[in-house]
Amino acid sequence: MIARAPRNLSALLVLGIPLLWIVVFMLLPYGIIVTYSFWLKSYPTFKPAFQFGNYLTLLTDVQYLQVLGRTLKISILVSILSLGLAYPFAWWLVFRCRSQALRTWAYMAVIAPLWVSYLLRAYIWKTILGTEGILNSFLMSTGLISEPSSLFLYNQFAMVVTLTYIFIPFMVMPIYTALERIPLNLAEASADLGMGPVQTFLKVTLPLSTPGIAAGFTLTFCLSFGDFIAPFLVGGPDGNLIASVIQTQFGAALNWPLGSALSIVMLIIVLAIVSLSDRLEATAHTGAA
Amino acid sequence: MKKTLTAMLTLGLAAGPALAEGTVNVLTWEGYADPSFITKFEEESGCKVSATYVGSNDDFAPKLLGGGGIYDLITPSIDTTALMIDLGLVEPLDTAAITGWNDIYPKFLSQEGIQRDGAYYGMPYVWGAIAFMYLDSAFPTPPTSIADLWNPELKGKISLWDDKSSIYVAARKNGDMDIYNLTDEQIEKAKAALVEQKPLVRKYWATAGELVDLYKAGEVVISNTWAGYQSGLLKAEGVKVTEFIPKEGAEGWMDSWMVVKDTPNKECAYKFLNMQLSELGQCGVANVNGYSVANAAAAKACMPAEQYAALHQDDPNYLDSLQVWQALGDRFEAYTNAWNAVKAQ
C-alpha cells in the first residue's frame, strides 16, 4: 500500500501533464473558436447564438472562395517547387556525396537559415526582387534587359519564391532522413537482378522514400497555407491569402464569428491533408513490407 | 520589422528613470510617446511611461478586448472613438483636471465622436489630412485630381492605403461627396472603381514605413499619405516628394487621448494628459511626426512662425475644407466588407 502511492503519483504525473497540456493548449482554444464560429456579428461586437450564417457567408460570398482557391494554388506551387529542388539535392547528399564533411556542410547550408529570423529572410527577398534590387541590377549589368523590370516583386511569383526559400528546409529534412534509411545493398540487389539506374530509382528508391516526400509535402503545404507575412511583405494587390483575411476579420472588421468560421474551414483543410499524407505513408510502409 | 522596432523602443523607454513612483501604459501611434519629450516628463513627474505601438485604428479594440488591464491610455482616431465608448472600454474624462482644455480648437471639442451623454471621453491631441503625394521627378505637370491615381500611364507606379479609406477616395472620384453616409449602391460603385484601378496598383501600403520604402525603392510615384509624416521621412532621406489636396478634397483625421476604464494609474494618467496638451507634448509630437496639434495656445507659444504656418495652425479654412472622419456605426461592416472584396479579387 505504501509503495503504491508514489507509483500512482508518478503515473498521474506522466499521464496528467500531457493531458493537461492537450486540454489547455489545444482542446480549449479550439472549443472556443468553434463556439465563436456559430455566434452572430452585432455592432459593436458580437452576441452568442447558434446559427450557420457565418459558414453560409463563406460559401455564398465569392470573395472567400476566391482567396481560399488562391491560397491553395500558392501552397501547392510552393510544395511542388520545394519538392523539385529538395529531392535531387537530398538524393545527391545521400547517394553521391562522397565526402562526409561536404555532406554535413551542404546539409547545414540548407538548415542554417532556420536560425535566422523569418521576418528578416522574407524582407531580404524584397531587396533582391525590387525594381532597383539586386536581381534587376544583375540582369542589367549582363545586358539581358535594358531597363529594370517590375515583374519580380509584389506579385504571386514573389510570394512563391519567398515561401519556397523559407520552407524548403522542411522538405529537405524528411526526404534526407527517408533516403538515408534505405540500405545501400537494395540498390546493389536491384542492379544484380538486371535493373538499370533509372529503373532502380523508380522501383526501389522512390517508393521507399515516399514517406519522406509525404511528410515534406505536408509540412511545406501547411506552413505556406497559413502564412500571412509573405503576402504582406512581397505580395501585390492580387496577393491576399486566407490567413490575412482571418487576421482582418479579427482586427479591422471586428467580426470574430466570421474569422472563427474561416479558421475552422482552414483547420479542416489542413487536417484533411495531414490524414491523407498519413494514409500515404501507411500504404508506403505496407507496400515496402 | 515593426514588432522588433516596437520592442526596442519599449525597452528603451522602460530603461528610463529608476526612481519612478508610478507608471502609465499607453497604447498609441509611433511618435506619440517619443523619448525626445517623454524623457523630460518621466523625470519631472516620476511616472514611468511604457508605450506599445499600433499600426492601425483596428488594433485598439482587439487589443483591449483580448484581455485588458494592461493599458491605461489609448489614442484612437475620430472614426474609432465612438466604438471605444460603445464597447465600454473607456471612461469619461475629468476635463477640470486638464489644464489647457479650453485652448483646444472648438471644431475638435464639438466632434460627436468624443462625447456621450454630456461628458467628454476623448482629449483632442493632433490632427491632419489624408493628403495625396507624388514624386516630383515623375510629374512635369503636378497632379491635381484623385483621377490621377486611375491614370493607365502610371500602371504599376500607384499605391493606395490598405484601409477602408480607399472607399472614401473612390467615392469622391465617382462624385459621391457624402463619403460617410454612402448608400449600398454608392459603395458598390466605389468598389467597382477600385477593382478597375487594381491592375494599376503596385502595392497597397499598410504602414508609414512601408510607403516610405516604396518611394525610396522607386516602386511608386503617387499615393495617398498621412499629411506631414511620410513626406517628412522621405525628405530626410533626400527623396523629393510633394503633398497635395486634390480638387475632390481630402479626409481629415484627429486623434484623441482616452482613459481606459478603471485604470489603477489614474494619477499618472492625468499627469500624462496634461503634459501631452502642454507645449512640451504638443510641440514634441509636432516635431517628431509633423502633425498639426489641437491646442491652439500651446502651438502659438512653442512653434516658430514658419512651422506654425506650415502646419496650418493659423488657417481655420484649411481645417474646414477637410472632411473629418466620422464613426460609421452599423454601416462600418458595409465599408470594410467592400474593401475586403476588392482585395480578395
Side-chain angles (χ1 to χ4, degrees):
Chain A
M1 287 297 275
I2 297 164
R4 280 189 66 169
R7 197 188 295 171
N8 278 347
L9 188 71
S10 60
L12 196 73
L13 279 174
V14 166
L15 276 176
I17 291 173
L19 252 159
L20 193 73
W21 178 274
I22 289 172
V23 169
V24 172
F25 291 107
M26 290 184 64
L27 296 181
L28 207 63
Y30 284 138
I32 293 172
I33 296 277
V34 171
T35 314
Y36 269 137
S37 75
F38 296 113
W39 284 23
L40 207 57
K41 163 85 184 158
S42 154
Y43 181 87
T45 47
F46 26 85
K47 58 182 184 208
F50 184 76
Q51 43 91 41
F52 294 87
N54 300 314
Y55 291 97
L56 212 61
T57 307
L58 297 185
L59 291 175
T60 49
D61 191 339
V62 68
Q63 61 167 294
Y64 302 105
L65 291 177
Q66 261 175 343
V67 177
L68 204 61
R70 177 183 309 138
T71 313
L72 281 171
K73 184 183 92 181
I74 298 277
S75 316
I76 289 171
L77 281 175
V78 169
S79 306
I80 291 174
L81 198 61
S82 302
L83 178 64
L85 291 168
Y87 199 97
F89 177 76
W91 186 85
W92 174 80
L93 275 188
V94 173
F95 296 115
R96 284 291 173 269
C97 183
R98 299 272 173 241
S99 149
Q100 180 63 41
L102 180 65
R103 183 185 302 173
T104 311
W105 277 103
Y107 187 74
M108 284 312 287
V110 173
I111 307 302
L114 284 180
W115 278 279
V116 178
S117 149
Y118 173 107
L119 216 53
L120 188 66
R121 284 182 289 152
Y123 206 84
I124 280 167
W125 279 98
K126 263 174 86 153
T127 56
I128 296 176
L129 300 172
T131 304
E132 291 170 9
I134 297 166
L135 182 59
N136 265 313
S137 315
F138 172 74
L139 288 177
M140 279 165 71
S141 71
T142 58
L144 282 172
I145 52 172
S146 55
E147 44 184 81
S149 166
S150 58
L151 290 177
F152 304 128
L153 188 58
Y154 300 131
N155 51 30
Q156 299 187 358
F157 164 80
M159 283 202 289
V160 172
V161 170
T162 306
L163 287 173
T164 303
Y165 169 75
I166 288 172
F167 294 134
I168 205 166
F170 297 99
M171 186 67 93
V172 172
M173 286 189 283
I175 293 178
Y176 179 87
T177 314
L179 289 175
E180 213 183 18
R181 279 204 202 125
I182 301 174
L184 282 173
N185 57 18
L186 285 187
E188 286 160 15
S190 169
D192 288 347
L193 291 169
M195 296 277 191
V198 176
Q199 276 170 311
T200 301
F201 174 76
L202 288 176
K203 297 221 158 131
V204 179
T205 317
L206 190 61
L208 286 175
S209 61
T210 316
I213 297 174
F217 208 93
T218 311
L219 279 171
T220 36
F221 178 88
C222 293
L223 287 168
S224 319
F225 196 65
D227 188 83
F228 70 98
I229 304 281
F232 174 71
L233 285 178
V234 299
D238 66 346
N240 219 19
L241 298 189
I242 195 75
S244 326
V245 176
I246 292 178
Q247 193 206 14
T248 312
Q249 292 304 329
F250 278 92
L254 213 62
N255 193 343
W256 293 12
L258 190 64
S260 301
L262 261 171
S263 310
I264 296 297
V265 169
M266 202 170 152
L267 188 68
I268 290 169
I269 294 174
V270 167
L271 286 179
I273 299 276
V274 170
S275 65
L276 201 73
S277 133
D278 270 353
R279 193 164 297 176
L280 201 66
E281 281 181 57
T283 332
H285 277 301
T286 37
Chain B
M1 288 301 279
K2 183 131 197 165
K3 284 239 168 75
T4 341
L5 193 68
T6 308
M8 276 159 55
L9 286 168
T10 316
L11 275 177
L13 289 175
L19 295 167
E21 289 158 27
T23 52
V24 56
N25 301 297
V26 299
L27 181 64
T28 187
W29 302 96
E30 269 174 66
Y32 290 14
D34 193 78
S36 63
F37 57 101
I38 292 296
T39 310
K40 187 163 178 233
F41 166 74
E42 288 182 319
E43 281 161 7
E44 286 175 359
S45 67
C47 297
K48 193 171 80 72
V49 178
S50 164
T52 308
Y53 297 112
V54 292
S56 145
N57 273 305
D58 310 320
D59 290 345
F60 290 107
K63 278 222 161 77
L64 292 174
L65 287 172
I70 302 164
Y71 303 108
D72 306 310
L73 293 165
I74 55 172
T75 51
S77 301
I78 191 65
D79 60 342
T80 310
T81 45
L83 176 68
M84 297 298 124
I85 304 173
D86 288 336
L87 287 170
L89 295 172
V90 288
E91 60 179 42
L93 293 178
D94 177 8
T95 54
I98 299 170
T99 320
W101 181 268
N102 293 322
D103 295 326
I104 297 172
Y105 290 95
K107 168 137 181 166
F108 296 133
L109 287 180
S110 67
Q111 294 291 324
E112 276 174 35
I114 53 170
Q115 306 178 54
R116 185 65 51 93
D117 302 326
Y120 277 107
Y121 282 76
M123 180 190 88
Y125 180 52
V126 287
W127 58 278
I130 304 296
F132 289 74
M133 178 163 82
Y134 63 90
L135 190 71
D136 292 3
S137 59
F139 290 88
T141 334
T144 55
S145 163
I146 288 180
D148 285 305
L149 279 90
W150 267 258
N151 181 353
E153 282 170 26
L154 297 174
K155 184 174 163 56
K157 292 280 167 199
I158 294 165
S159 189
L160 199 63
W161 184 17
D162 182 356
D163 186 88
K164 61 180 178 298
S165 160
S166 55
I167 301 284
Y168 306 152
V169 171
R172 290 206 303 280
K173 181 192 172 270
N174 291 340
D176 297 324
M177 294 302 172
D178 193 6
I179 52 177
Y180 307 118
N181 298 296
L182 295 174
T183 63
D184 284 342
E185 201 186 328
Q186 289 170 326
I187 290 181
E188 205 54 41
K189 258 176 69 193
K191 194 173 121 185
L194 289 166
V195 170
E196 181 203 327
Q197 183 206 30
K198 205 170 169 179
L200 310 177
V201 173
R202 181 70 168 144
K203 178 107 176 106
Y204 296 121
W205 62 274
T207 65
E210 190 183 7
L211 185 63
V212 169
D213 282 348
L214 284 169
Y215 275 94
K216 249 170 63 184
E219 302 287 358
V220 304
V221 297
I222 190 165
S223 68
N224 51 357
T225 180
W226 303 333
Y229 192 32
Q230 289 97 335
S231 64
L233 293 172
L234 282 165
K235 271 170 196 157
E237 299 270 358
V239 181
K240 292 200 167 51
V241 290
T242 307
E243 284 178 8
F244 70 104
I245 302 285
K247 63 175 196 265
E248 295 88 351
E251 300 138 50
W253 56 269
M254 190 261 290
D255 292 348
S256 309
W257 285 99
M258 301 182 106
V259 177
V260 176
K261 200 173 216 165
D262 302 326
T263 162
N265 303 317
K266 198 164 268 180
E267 205 186 317
C268 273
Y270 272 85
K271 280 186 188 173
F272 187 84
L273 289 180
N274 273 293
M275 178 278 294
Q276 288 287 18
L277 201 59
S278 75
E279 290 171 31
L280 178 64
Q282 294 280 279
C283 267
V285 71
N287 290 336
V288 172
N289 285 34
Y291 295 153
S292 309
V293 299
N295 182 339
K300 184 137 210 152
C302 67
M303 282 181 190
E306 199 179 288
Q307 186 186 24
Y308 189 73
L311 293 180
H312 307 281
Q313 299 288 158
D314 59 344
D315 186 3
N317 291 331
Y318 178 81
L319 183 54
D320 287 338
S321 74
L322 302 175
Q323 287 186 286
V324 176
W325 282 348
Q326 287 173 17
L328 299 170
D330 52 6
R331 293 292 291 159
F332 176 82
E333 216 181 335
Y335 281 74
T336 46
N337 199 31
W339 175 232
N340 287 338
V342 172
K343 285 198 294 176
Q345 297 234 334

